[in-house]
Amino acid sequence: VEALIPEHQRDAWKKFQAKPWVSKDDFEKEVVRHVETTLARSMFNCDETAAYAAASLAFRDRLITEWNRTQQRQTFADTKRVYYLSLEFLMGRALDNAMLNVGLKNVAKEGLSELGFRIEDIINQEHDAALGNGGLGRLAACFLDSMASLNFPAWGYGLRYKYGIFKQEIVDGYQVEVPDYWLDFNPWEFPRHDIVVDVQFYGGVRKYQDDDGKNVAVWEGGEIVRAVAYDVPIPGFNTPTTNNMRLWSSKAASGEFDFQKFNSGDYESSVADQQRAETISAVLYPNDNLDRGKELRLKQQYFWVAASLYDIVRRFKKSKRAWSEFPDQIAIQLNDTHPTLAIVELQRILIDMEGLDWDEAWAIVTNTFGYTNHTVLPEALEKWSVPLFQNLLPRHLQIIYDINMFFLQSVERKFPGDRDMLARVSIIEESQPKMVRMAFLAIVGSHKVNGVAELHSDLIRTTIFKDFVKIFGPDKFTNVTNGITPRRWLHQANPRLSELIASKTGGLGFLKDLNVLNELEKFADDKEFKKEWAEIKYANKVKLAKYIKSTTGVTVNPSALFDIQVKRIHEYKRQQLNIFGVIHRYLTIKAMTAEERKKLAPRVSIFGGKAAPGYWMAKTIIHLINNVGAVVNKDPDVGDLLKVIFLEDYNVSKAEIITPASDISEHISTAGTEASGTSNMKFVLNGGLIIGTCDGANIEITREIGENNIFLFGNLAEDVEDLRHTHNYGSHTLDPDLVKVFDLIKSDAFGDAGAFGALTGSIEDHGDYYLVSDDFHSYIKTQALVDEAYKNQDEWITKTILSVARMGFFSSDRCINEYAEMIWNVEPLPVEKESGLGKEE
Ligand code: GL9
């Protein structure tokens, strides 16, 4: 390894090398030092914000020491690395996670206490890193945790948005979006002002033949934007491995502003250039499962992909290996189609910059990339208009045309004369304007394509990508069912449950081998154990009840059944089905005698989630939920029997409070629409049951935990198409109970019914695309079964214990091992010894 410091002067470096601190005294010393020097404060003005800052800096120093060692170790070993390209990383808070992963939370707790602070208050100071929309972004975050915990040499590459997903406020029952400026103080990132990449846009292509008669293409002109790297350390659990997440920030290539323009008096335009450059990484697009085709979004994608690939290629070139070894050293995973341009960019680097032949380059490209599909919803499949592409990335468009030409030639050889097939699979859609189909490009340019749950992977093979299965054969298409990290979603979010499990399974080993949970089966009928189990659930519900009280003012009874649906608001996820069910329950209660009411299980219906700012139907659903709550919660006939809560600004740190407190959670998408879902896994792992449809990972959860432990309802994916057909061509009669619900809404019981006309109309008059009416009866009936089952607490608790015991499969560690074996062909880099930390109990 090259080093700047000569051999004979390295002793001084070794002598003063940074060492990770371990004791409580050292921690306190570091905190006080940061307060008194880094923050220029003292014990007389150290508030909780400052204590959070200092504690974080103490842990950051520790992480970065291990980060440096890990990077050196991985570079020295020179084994294959994984690069996970994702436009979203929904990390949440870092401090609690860092403390737990390095195994020093108790040390920090005592240390902070001696300094006059409660650790919970300090943890709560942190602003979430919310660089993602929902499941897709959180999956990327769980994968980073697993890759580090399993000692894989792996980097995440993303964008450093100045504004993450907006903050949601509820004003008069409506969603209001507030910008989330999160970078005021962020101790977890390291700016690397020395690691910059200049990225080109626009311009034109000049083609000529060189002296050897070889065709050469030069992309010239246009404008340059500079990418600056920001590194975030990713600590593994109970291992020294600390991986890297590199996020790119955009700025003007000429520095602050263009001095020539400035000096010639053109001050305004020089500042405008700078602002235009910074706009690229300014804001995360807040759409979930929707593609809007905006130019700035394509700019973000290329900016990020170009900087990341330049970085990856630069690192590879240092190794002085032959280009043909590129795929032996590097695996790049595309998290959805957002980074598909990486395929084109690598081909461009290899043929235009490095002078490789097309075929040689293309073999390297296709052996390097893997593509994960996360949705079959047609409105989410990315397409970019050819004129837009032509203008922004002229050379890339040419390469795409060439990729398509060679691809279609191969299809023609395999299916001679099948012109329909050629039109169907062409990367270019012959529409007006023409469009580039990014998913098709991703398939053609990767060696493996995977879905994220069994049903979803089957659906992509038999519907949207079925021609490609014929062309490439079935082996190119595979499944890796999603998972979640048990570190954050059990140990961190539910410390008491984690502690109880540890006490029965011989320590925290289950957090690294989740199948150990199996050992809990033998306690499913253990009276003492069940009592503790139930107490923990109750305590978690009390905590949520307090949170509900403090944020909404509504008092809820922790003994009531907590029914939770938290996720992005989307018609396909069917929060409207849930709220219509709540209104049906309200009608039922109103019609009951006092005697009948006594027999009913009290319920708290809790909702949370953001609507994309431009998604009116989703906003209408939020409005209805809030208005129903306003009426129901103050109706004396109802009392404790039903409360309806909408929790503002659902995010990762709130999920950590909400998830452990559910009795039942709702995963009720129209069958065939939710690729996997991951919160379904989190809720079951925390001792809650599910009411859900046969969709996404619900199906595999059922297989694992047993169908007695889940409340399934509704039509199956295979019947959806026919049902939609009957809506459109037959007479569409609504479920009679749903009609009663609509009648109540139309009587202005929840405010002016005009506000909800589009929502009821989409079901009554516009085909009920998401089958709300078709599934309504089955949903209501199944909710009644939930009520009955909950009355038998003893059996209910047994169900939840058995379910948790059988959830081992859904660890994201299992996912990462599957990706590593089936797709990446990489091995972990063993560490000499586990840190021995993270073992504290
Ligand atoms: C999603 C699917 O909708 C989820 O069902 C799936 O669990 C996750 C992770 O695989 O991916 N696809 C998708 O586009 N989003 C998902 O959550 N949306 C975003 O988060 C942007």
Side-chain angles (χ1 to χ4, degrees), residues 206-307:
R206 184 164 51 88
K207 284 189 169 176
Y208 63 92
Q209 284 199 335
D210 70 7
D211 297 345
D212 309 330
K214 205 175 162 184
N215 290 317
V216 181
V218 186
W219 179 19
E220 54 193 14
E223 63 180 53
I224 303 288
V225 179
R226 182 157 297 168
V228 184
Y230 285 74
D231 288 345
V232 181
I234 308 293
F237 179 80
N238 190 27
T239 170
T241 300
T242 305
N243 281 339
N244 195 22
M245 173 171 74
R246 177 159 286 176
L247 304 179
W248 299 103
S249 180
S250 62
K251 67 175 208 171
S254 50
E256 287 292 292
F257 33 53
D258 185 324
F259 278 96
Q260 245 171 7
K261 277 189 182 175
F262 182 56
N263 288 328
S264 63
D266 199 358
Y267 178 76
E268 276 176 19
S269 99
S270 72
V271 175
D273 286 354
Q274 177 227 341
Q275 286 184 345
R276 212 149 50 98
E278 288 180 9
T279 301
I280 292 181
S281 62
V283 56
L284 165 78
Y285 275 90
N287 298 314
D288 184 283
N289 270 295
L290 179 73
D291 167 50
R292 288 201 169 267
K294 292 277 205 296
E295 179 177 55
L296 179 60
R297 169 82 168 185
L298 186 60
K299 270 187 143 175
Q300 289 187 333
Q301 293 184 350
Y302 182 63
F303 171 80
W304 152 60
V305 153

Side-chain angles (χ1 to χ4, degrees), residues 34-68:
H34 278 299
V35 168
E36 293 183 348
T37 62
T38 319
L39 305 171
R41 294 205 191 200
S42 72
M43 70 167 104
F44 301 107
N45 61 1
C46 182
D47 55 11
E48 284 175 350
T49 320
Y52 159 71
S56 297
L57 291 168
F59 273 93
R60 179 197 78 164
D61 291 347
R62 213 182 171 288
L63 293 195
I64 210 64
T65 315
E66 294 290 12
W67 184 99
N68 263 315

Side-chain angles (χ1 to χ4, degrees), residues 58 141 326 355 395 491 518:
F326 194 88
R395 179 61 185 142
H491 191 45
N518 249 296

